Amino acid sequence: MSKLTLLNCTTAAVLLSTSLSFAQEYQAGEGQLDSLFPEDKPYSPYAEREFPERPLWGDSHLHTALSMDAGGFGNRLGLDEAYKFARGEQVTSSSGQKVRLSRPLDWLAITDHSDGMGMIQDVLAASPLVTRYEQGARWSKAFNAGGQEAVDGALDLIGTFSQGEMDPEMFANYSPGSRRYATIWEEVIQAAERYNEPGDFTAFIGFEWTSLYAGANLHRNVIFRDGPDRARQVVPYTTQEPVGSADPLDLYKYLENYEAKTNGATMTFAHNGNLSNGIMFPMDAQYTGRAIDKLYVEQRAKWERMYEVTQIKGDGETHPFLSPDDEFADYGTWDVGNLDLSAAKTDDMLAGEYAREALKNGMLLEEKFGTNPYKFGMIGATDSHTSLATAEEENFFGKHAGYEPSAERLSHPFMKNDNGELFSWQQVASGLAAVWAKDNTRESLFDAMDRKEVYGTTGPRMTVRFFGGYDFAEADLSSREVSAIGYLKGVPMGGDLTAAPEGKSPNFLIAALRDPIGANLDRVQIVKGWVGEGGKTHEKVYDVAWSGDRVADASGSIPAVGNTVDVASATWTNTIGSPELISVWTDPEFDPKERAFYYVRVLEIPTPPWYLYDNIRVGSALPEGAPTAQQERAYTSPIWYVPAK
């Protein structure tokens, strides 16, 4: 793809506003020409550029066989296979199938669980380090028996860990302070170094801190900006006492200590608030009962710069209960219970689980404490436990090795107990993170993440630009210099707009280009959230650009784009939709006294979900009640409006 920052693609359908065609010609004003072609600049508009010119695609959340639940469910691929696959090489999956990505990734963070790292290998090998304990002997016997007994053993192991009931003496052999743990961490560091090639491919050093409270998900991933010299000065932080803690405040202390000790840099980000049963984004008190206070909001804002808004275990943007007026809210919804279904979900929990609600509530906490703890950028990731970062529907290898492609993977539930059921088809083939970094290096990518110039998709690699300012005009769109104008006249995604000039409202420059080998675009939306009178939060979704000649009705709703999916062949056609959508949009309901955020959601035309490909390729019956088409999407990081004090 050429010059992605300019979205430099010749297309037949470009929308400049809600219904205006690109066929209209624009006459650039003198001021615009001066800004685009100043006398002291080179003739080449690409010379001496200091801003990022293309999104760098990666997965910030991948597990190898080192993770207990990955190895326990049959993953036999290690660090090398995971990196090779991400770089575009063909590998053989744990189920013996040849697999390769359609296109290499630009970067990868392998984030194996910090607790019990390496234990599963000893369970499989029946090592005395585990078999002399009742739990370890039980699991080793089950795994080596194979079949359903092995599956039951894996579920038993994971459930035991989820409920905090691991044998402490046995688990100490696989915790910080043990020789085995130090050896595994060194292997993780060395593998990242082997595959890290600045400029071509970035391998981050990282881990997952797998905090659980009675099965409620509080997981965070940690990535380091640094290389081995600094990473070797620490080991990952764990959740099991006495060396670890399940409290996020203690994780923040670990991060603080790392930076003080090494003079390096690190960050963390959460995922799957949808499985936290209401405790991921607290408003009044943390799960420990400690009140939300100035320390909590400041520490969370400092260390949690991003949020993983979409992945295999459900999409986390919003929920129909929270956003009843949003026709696209019910996507990839997992709302049955907590992580292990040990506790059922109730509607009162949802407000503490989803990104859009957190963005709104964060502004309330900012008014109270002076800091917004939920001021995060948005990314996608896979959370694959197969060592394979697959997020494309036609190339989806499932959550873990037991759900790699086969005629059986749709024949049994993904999770089921007395509290409810999650069907195997509800695994979401998602997602990826796009980072607007200037260089493909740890430092440049990390810094872009830190400033939140990132966005997430459910798998497609659509290019999305989003800038906010006060002086964008439709004439800016005619130059095709979207990024140059955006940085010149505004702030990118992840930035702040401060007190509005007298008589002006925030306006936004948005440009979206389809994945070159993917589906056309249906529409571009801006999601606005704000704090109104009496400290009440509000939200509204605006359609700002769409394909075709559809016309909004009296309520402002745009008709559906249509559906070309052929269920029998698992195909679709790009005969509807647009390859590119561009718009300048001004907030029509702006109040300069009200805090607000804005982010972009881009929707593709309907395409087949992954289980339609299973139906064609391995003969699986289509699951009863499963949709036969879906609209994949992208979510940008917000731009926040901060009123004058």
Side-chain angles (χ1 to χ4, degrees), residues 153-204:
L155 292 171
D156 181 24
L157 188 158
I158 294 164
T160 301
F161 175 78
S162 298
Q163 298 301 319
E165 297 173 352
M166 300 292 283
D167 185 307
E169 185 177 327
M170 177 186 69
F171 214 56
N173 296 322
Y174 305 95
S175 299
S178 72
R179 179 176 296 179
R180 180 81 169 114
Y181 197 86
T183 299
I184 294 293
W185 181 234
E186 178 61 24
E187 290 177 5
V188 170
I189 293 171
Q190 288 183 11
E193 281 305 287
R194 282 198 301 276
Y195 292 96
N196 188 58
E197 295 185 6
D200 292 321
F201 181 84
T202 293
F204 282 108

Side-chain angles (χ1 to χ4, degrees), residues 524-572:
V524 172
Q525 300 176 309
I526 282 187
V527 179
K528 178 186 177 183
W530 71 97
V531 179
E533 292 184 8
K536 185 178 180 180
T537 62
H538 307 269
E539 66 175 65
K540 190 168 183 178
V541 180
Y542 297 88
D543 290 303
V544 301
W546 56 88
S547 62
D549 56 1
R550 292 174 286 170
V551 177
D553 63 20
S555 68
S557 179
I558 305 299
V561 69
N563 184 0
T564 67
V565 172
D566 179 67
V567 175
S569 62
T571 59
W572 85 100

Side-chain angles (χ1 to χ4, degrees), residues 56-68:
L56 296 173
W57 293 96
D59 187 1
S60 56
H61 189 174
L62 182 71
H63 295 268
T64 74
L66 289 175
S67 289
M68 284 191 296

Side-chain angles (χ1 to χ4, degrees), residues 283-567:
M283 281 295 289
D284 300 313
Q286 303 167 63
Y287 78 96
T288 59
R290 176 175 173 167
I292 299 298
D293 54 16
K294 190 173 179 63
L295 172 67
Y296 179 87
V297 298
E298 289 180 349
Q299 287 294 296
R300 185 154 183 172
K302 178 179 180 179
W303 297 111
E304 298 200 22
R305 309 295 291 170
M306 304 185 297
Y307 179 63
E308 186 181 301
V309 74
T310 185
Q311 62 130 272
I312 285 174
K313 298 198 301 295
D315 194 86
E317 183 213 5
T318 192
H319 187 281
F321 179 81
L322 302 171
S323 304
D325 297 326
D326 182 354
E327 62 180 309
F328 298 103
D330 192 11
Y331 179 83
T333 304
W334 282 33
D335 56 3
V336 178
N338 58 356
L339 182 65
D340 59 1
L341 285 187
S342 60
K345 186 86 65 196
T346 55
D347 287 345
D348 61 296
M349 298 174 180
L350 297 172
E353 297 195 329
Y354 284 86
R356 190 185 301 177
E357 201 70 15
L359 290 168
K360 292 191 293 184
N361 287 334
M363 295 186 296
L364 294 178
L365 291 171
E366 184 175 12
E367 291 189 344
K368 184 176 181 179
F369 295 109
T371 301
N372 183 345
Y374 309 138
K375 196 171 183 178
F376 46 72
M378 294 205 279
I379 58 170
T382 66
D383 192 14
S384 169
H385 283 55
T386 64
S387 303
L388 307 172
T390 61
E392 294 172 310
E393 303 294 324
E394 77 277 16
N395 197 31
F396 181 53
F397 268 62
K399 167 70 173 176
H400 57 71
Y403 282 92
E404 292 185 358
S406 73
E408 290 73 43
R409 71 167 167 174
L410 290 174
S411 64
H412 50 87
F414 186 73
M415 297 179 69
K416 183 178 181 179
N417 62 19
D418 292 341
N419 290 318
E421 180 175 6
L422 285 164
F423 300 98
S424 55
W425 61 263
Q426 289 178 294
Q427 295 173 84
V428 185
S430 186
L432 291 176
V435 182
W436 287 108
K438 187 180 177 186
D439 301 305
N440 192 353
T441 63
R442 287 170 177 158
E443 297 79 10
S444 186
L445 285 160
F446 185 98
D447 293 346
M449 294 173 182
D450 188 60
R451 65 178 183 265
K452 298 170 249 186
E453 200 170 351
V454 297
Y455 63 98
T457 82
T458 55
R461 302 191 195 186
M462 53 192 97
T463 302
V464 186
R465 279 297 204 182
F466 179 42
F467 296 94
Y470 296 103
D471 298 306
F472 292 118
E474 286 188 356
D476 292 333
L477 304 173
S478 62
S479 72
R480 315 301 297 147
E481 288 281 341
V482 172
S483 298
I485 294 172
Y487 285 109
L488 179 69
K489 299 173 69 171
V491 299
M493 60 182 78
D496 284 351
L497 291 174
T498 53
E502 185 69 29
K504 289 194 173 184
S505 298
N507 69 351
F508 300 91
L509 177 61
I510 312 109
L513 180 68
R514 80 170 207 205
D515 184 328
I517 63 171
N520 275 345
L521 306 180
D522 166 16
R523 67 187 71 194
V524 172
Q525 300 176 309
I526 282 187
V527 179
K528 178 186 177 183
W530 71 97
V531 179
E533 292 184 8
K536 185 178 180 180
T537 62
H538 307 269
E539 66 175 65
K540 190 168 183 178
V541 180
Y542 297 88
D543 290 303
V544 301
W546 56 88
S547 62
D549 56 1
R550 292 174 286 170
V551 177
D553 63 20
S555 68
S557 179
I558 305 299
V561 69
N563 184 0
T564 67
V565 172
D566 179 67
V567 175

